[in-house]
Structures are given as C-alpha cells and as structure tokens.
Amino acid sequence: MQNPQPQPPLLTDSRSSLDASGWPLRWELLMRYRLIEIVALWEGRLTTNHLCNSFGIARQQASKDINAYLRDIAPGNLVYDGKLKGYKPAANFTPKVTSGLADEYLHALASTKDFAHTFSQLDLGFAHTEMLTPPLRQVNPDILRALVQAARDGKKIDMGYVSL
C-alpha cells in the first residue's frame, strides 16, 4: 500500500500555478499569505512592516506579496485605509488560506514569542506580547480585534464577565 500524498493547502483557485512538487504555492509564500489574513482579521490593520519584520523581506517584496494576495487569492478581502496607513479587512472578508479561527492568531503570537525568546535580538513586530491559553470556543473576530487594538494602544476596556 502506497503512502497517501499530502493534500495541498486550502487554496484551490485554478488561477494559481503549481510548483515542482504539485502544491499550488511555495511554502514561504503561503506562510506570508496566511500572516496577511491572520493579522488583518485579528488586528484590524496590516502593513508591509508585519511581513518585513516576520519574514525578513524587503518592503517592496512585502508590498508585492500583499498585492498578489489581493489579485490572485482573495480579491476584495482587504481595503487600504489612508488613516490607518495600512490595510483593513473588507466588510465581506472571507478567509482563503486560513480557517479564520482565533487559535491561528494566538498560535502565531505564541510561535513568535518562542522564536523571539530563542533569538532575543530579532524584532518580529510583536513586542510586549504575552501568550494566553487559547479559549476552547469560537471567538468573534470583532471582539478579539477590539481587545488587541485596545491593548496595543494602551486604551481602557469596559466589559462585563459571565462565567461559562
């Protein structure tokens, strides 16, 4: 019995070209597209700095990746906001290369913290971040996004608590 072949990532768009291994995207490009979705969805603001700091790429490459994501993967998923000086999720944002779950964002933060601990001189753009144990339930992106933005901006949060 043969070993099953690995399944390609979530992306199944016919416009994408296959690489030599039969995957629709190179691994590093898929990781950059995933970060684009994760940061935009959960932080509400994506800039080229997110990609530059996380992957060690030039600003021109980061801009090219964002434009390719918008052109080839998810047209209309992000809109540029001049006030934010970055991209924000469109009202009809639909994850294409992620599941849209809070666990993905929290895992990215945890991975960055572990990596930054090992390589303490690197700035990956998530300074002063503490990892919480991910909740075992669905989290509304609007709620988590507001909490993340308030924490990053040092703003007060007024909320109620109900024990589950």
Side-chain angles (χ1 to χ4, degrees), residues 43-114:
E43 293 193 12
R45 177 179 178 254
L46 171 77
T47 67
T48 54
N49 283 337
H50 287 102
L51 295 172
C52 294
N53 292 340
S54 296
F55 294 102
I57 59 176
R59 185 174 310 281
Q60 295 83 355
Q61 182 62 52
S63 181
K64 181 179 172 184
D65 290 342
I66 293 169
N67 288 325
Y69 169 82
L70 288 169
R71 180 185 64 241
D72 301 333
I73 307 302
N77 245 9
L78 304 175
V79 292
Y80 187 79
D81 185 321
K83 260 178 43 177
L84 292 176
K85 296 183 182 177
Y87 293 87
K88 66 180 184 179
N92 61 341
F93 180 91
T94 304
K96 300 293 185 182
V97 293
T98 63
S99 300
L101 299 174
D103 286 348
E104 292 167 320
Y105 176 65
L106 297 173
H107 179 73
L109 291 176
S111 298
T112 300
K113 184 177 179 183
D114 290 344

Side-chain angles (χ1 to χ4, degrees), residues 119-141:
F119 301 97
S120 59
Q121 299 304 313
L122 293 179
D123 173 16
L124 301 178
F126 295 109
H128 311 294
T129 301
E130 278 303 317
M131 180 60 195
L132 304 173
T133 305
L136 299 174
R137 57 186 171 80
Q138 293 286 346
V139 177
N140 182 323

Side-chain angles (χ1 to χ4, degrees), residues 40-44 89 100-102 105-106 132 135 137-152 155-162 164:
L41 178 61
W42 296 105
E43 293 193 12
L101 299 174
Y105 176 65
L106 297 173
L132 304 173
R137 57 186 171 80
Q138 293 286 346
V139 177
N140 182 323
D142 294 329
I143 293 171
L144 186 57
R145 186 181 308 133
L147 291 172
V148 169
Q149 289 173 347
R152 288 191 186 255
K155 293 184 178 175
K156 181 176 109 175
I157 300 171
D158 185 21
M159 64 178 158
Y161 171 77
V162 176
L164 298 176

Side-chain angles (χ1 to χ4, degrees), residues 5-48:
Q5 292 296 317
Q7 296 298 313
L10 298 173
L11 177 68
T12 57
D13 192 303
S14 61
R15 292 175 291 179
S16 62
S17 60
L18 299 177
D19 71 6
S21 68
W23 286 72
L25 295 171
R26 291 186 333 268
W27 178 255
E28 64 274 9
L29 187 56
L30 177 61
M31 293 299 101
R32 293 196 298 259
Y33 288 163
R34 286 179 55 84
L35 186 70
I36 287 170
E37 279 191 2
I38 290 168
V39 169
L41 178 61
W42 296 105
E43 293 193 12
R45 177 179 178 254
L46 171 77
T47 67
T48 54

